[in-house]
Amino acid sequence: MKERFVLRNVKRVTGENIDIVIDNGKIVEITKGGCGRNNKVFDYTDADVYVSSGWIDLHVHAFPEFSPYGDEIDEIGIKLGVTTIVDAGSCGADRMDELVKSKESAKTNLFAFLNISRIGLQRIDELSNLDWIDKEKAKQTIIKYRDTIVGLKARISKSVVRDTGIEPLHIARELSNETGLPLMVHIGSAPPSIEEVIPLLEKQDVITHYLNGKTNNLFDDQGKPLQLLLNAIKRGVHLDVGHGNASFSFQVAEAAKRHHISLNTISTDIYRKNRLNGPVFSMANVLSKFLYLGYSLDEVIAAVTTNAATWLGKPELGRIKVGDVANLTLFSVEHKPMILIDSEGEKRETNQSIEAKGVVVNGEFIEC
């Protein structure tokens, strides 16, 4: 049985001060700040700390055996203020067993996209040989791990597909239609061109790296969104940041905001290298970039809570509600100079940044 405790005088993003009482892993009371009663109290009365439902990172790489795209689950999860991560196709059908088993020794909640290539990121050109796409083995893996697998991942850029072109995406579309699982599609350098890729995406599919600064991106030379992007948004295609080493540009992000392109989910595409050496570092660092861009705190936090939980079909992960298992993130907004850097090496100076302070994950309190 998990212990009972109170988070005292934490703030919602609206500024409302509340106490949250947690008992046996669940939220049992939400009350006015200072009114929650229990012997064990984590008191934030003088600390100016916010609380949200637990941050969700929709695009990470959490299979440490693969290089360069790999890391330990909790290193990119709870230690960085993130209570739920979604591995974005590190593993295909050959290694999904191992990824799922690794959940047993981690505290962070984990879901996964199944790479349509059975070898996953064992190689970084995993879609360059169509023989590596085994639809029947993928289907069997999906049936076996329905509680973990939330979608299919296809990395559709030149270095991944090589001479197979757009064909892997056609196969991914077929597999999506046959299994009922949405696609997450990585966009990058051509070929295939963005004009070939985006029309194949449907409602609930995810474009990750939508703010990348490569020539094959979703905006024209004047920063205006391409019509095919606007059409995709109308169809209900989901836009995900997927920052990573090479996929987030301040200039493109500014163009997107200027043209009112909706912000769906902010994700990191984090793994060991870009966690330790940047430009990602942490979810908090990536969120700070969107504060810098002029999004409100409410919009920024919604992108890693309610928006992500809605896409996952797990609304309980995106709310603070009595009766739910407690998955919460505690954070502050610091007012001090800080240098932010994008994937192009462009630097921006800000005087406000988000800093993770702690999490409650499945009812357990852990400081970051």
Side-chain angles (χ1 to χ4, degrees):
M1 185 171 178
K2 294 179 180 176
E3 63 182 347
R4 180 183 175 100
F5 61 91
V6 179
L7 301 176
R8 173 156 296 159
N9 273 315
V10 287
K11 288 196 304 185
R12 296 184 187 267
V13 292
T14 59
E16 177 192 7
N17 271 57
I18 58 173
D19 283 8
I20 302 175
V21 184
I22 295 161
D23 190 14
N24 196 26
K26 293 188 175 182
I27 298 171
V28 295
E29 186 180 8
I30 303 167
T31 186
K32 183 179 177 181
C35 294
R37 293 288 175 261
N38 192 58
N39 290 336
K40 186 160 190 177
V41 175
F42 298 99
D43 194 342
Y44 294 97
T45 301
D46 300 317
D48 203 25
V49 167
Y50 288 91
V51 66
S52 69
S53 55
W55 292 350
I56 301 168
D57 194 336
L58 202 67
H59 185 153
V60 308
H61 290 287
F63 193 69
E65 290 186 39
F66 285 161
S67 179
Y69 307 126
D71 210 341
E72 300 287 344
I73 292 174
D74 286 341
E75 292 293 332
I76 55 179
I78 56 168
K79 291 185 179 181
L80 300 181
V82 177
T83 58
T84 300
I85 62 174
V86 186
D87 183 277
S90 298
C91 294
D94 286 356
R95 306 290 294 271
M96 184 56 72
D97 287 340
E98 295 166 69
L99 179 63
V100 173
K101 185 167 180 57
S102 69
K103 292 169 60 174
E104 297 173 7
S105 57
K107 293 184 182 294
T108 309
N109 302 310
L110 180 138
F111 298 100
F113 289 91
L114 177 71
N115 197 312
I116 65 163
S117 170
R118 62 176 177 78
I119 68 171
L121 297 184
Q122 179 180 323
R123 297 171 57 120
I124 60 172
D125 62 349
E126 75 273 14
L127 294 177
S128 62
N129 184 338
L130 296 181
D131 290 340
W132 294 335
I133 304 176
D134 185 333
K135 287 174 63 179
E136 290 309 310
K137 190 171 184 180
K139 289 178 185 177
Q140 292 167 13
T141 303
I142 290 163
I143 291 169
K144 186 175 182 180
Y145 296 120
R146 267 291 186 185
D147 291 342
T148 297
I149 296 172
V150 297
L152 304 169
K153 177 70 179 293
R155 299 200 308 141
I156 306 298
S157 59
K158 181 180 179 180
S159 62
V160 181
V161 301
R162 299 193 185 276
D163 295 334
T164 62
I166 197 67
E167 185 58 23
L169 185 53
H170 284 293
I171 297 171
R173 178 79 280 154
E174 292 170 4
L175 189 56
S176 170
N177 294 340
E178 291 166 10
T179 61
L181 288 176
L183 299 176
M184 173 183 270
V185 175
H186 151 125
I187 57 172
S189 299
S193 72
I194 209 73
E195 287 80 11
E196 292 179 275
V197 173
I198 303 305
L200 293 173
L201 304 186
E202 301 173 358
K203 183 177 182 179
Q204 192 70 357
D205 289 340
V206 179
I207 301 172
T208 194
H209 310 317
Y210 85 100
L211 297 174
N212 80 76
K214 299 169 185 176
T215 54
N216 190 43
N217 72 27
L218 296 165
F219 298 81
D220 66 20
D221 293 342
Q222 285 72 49
K224 185 178 178 182
L226 300 179
Q227 187 61 45
L228 59 85
L229 171 58
L230 301 178
N231 293 343
I233 292 169
K234 287 180 183 176
R235 293 198 301 276
V237 175
H238 182 103
L239 303 181
D240 176 64
V241 170
H243 188 302
N245 260 33
S247 299
F248 174 77
S249 160
F250 275 127
Q251 290 189 26
V252 175
E254 286 163 345
K257 190 170 193 305
R258 193 163 60 244
H259 290 283
H260 309 290
I261 299 301
S262 59
L263 179 62
N264 295 149
T265 49
I266 298 173
S267 66
T268 61
D269 186 16
I270 199 168
Y271 45 88
R272 189 178 297 105
K273 180 182 176 182
N274 66 32
R275 170 173 62 85
L276 297 175
N277 304 319
V280 175
F281 296 111
S282 67
M283 175 60 85
N285 186 276
V286 175
L287 296 180
S288 299
K289 293 170 185 178
F290 286 85
L291 274 189
Y292 165 82
L293 288 164
Y295 291 93
S296 69
L297 182 63
D298 189 22
E299 290 173 304
V300 169
I301 298 303
V304 290
T305 54
T306 52
N307 295 4
T310 298
W311 187 89
L312 286 168
K314 300 184 183 299
E316 69 279 6
L317 294 177
R319 67 193 182 201
I320 303 175
K321 182 180 177 182
V322 169
D324 284 350
V325 174
N327 283 287
L328 306 167
T329 296
L330 301 164
F331 65 96
S332 62
V333 177
E334 302 294 324
H335 298 278
K336 57 188 178 184
M338 180 179 180
I339 300 296
L340 302 170
I341 184 167
D342 71 5
S343 300
E344 308 290 314
E346 188 167 326
K347 296 178 181 178
R348 302 292 177 86
E349 187 171 341
T350 185
N351 59 8
Q352 62 172 351
S353 58
I354 293 173
E355 186 175 302
K357 296 296 186 182
V359 297
V360 179
V361 59
N362 297 315
E364 180 182 354
F365 178 83
I366 301 169
E367 283 191 296
C368 291

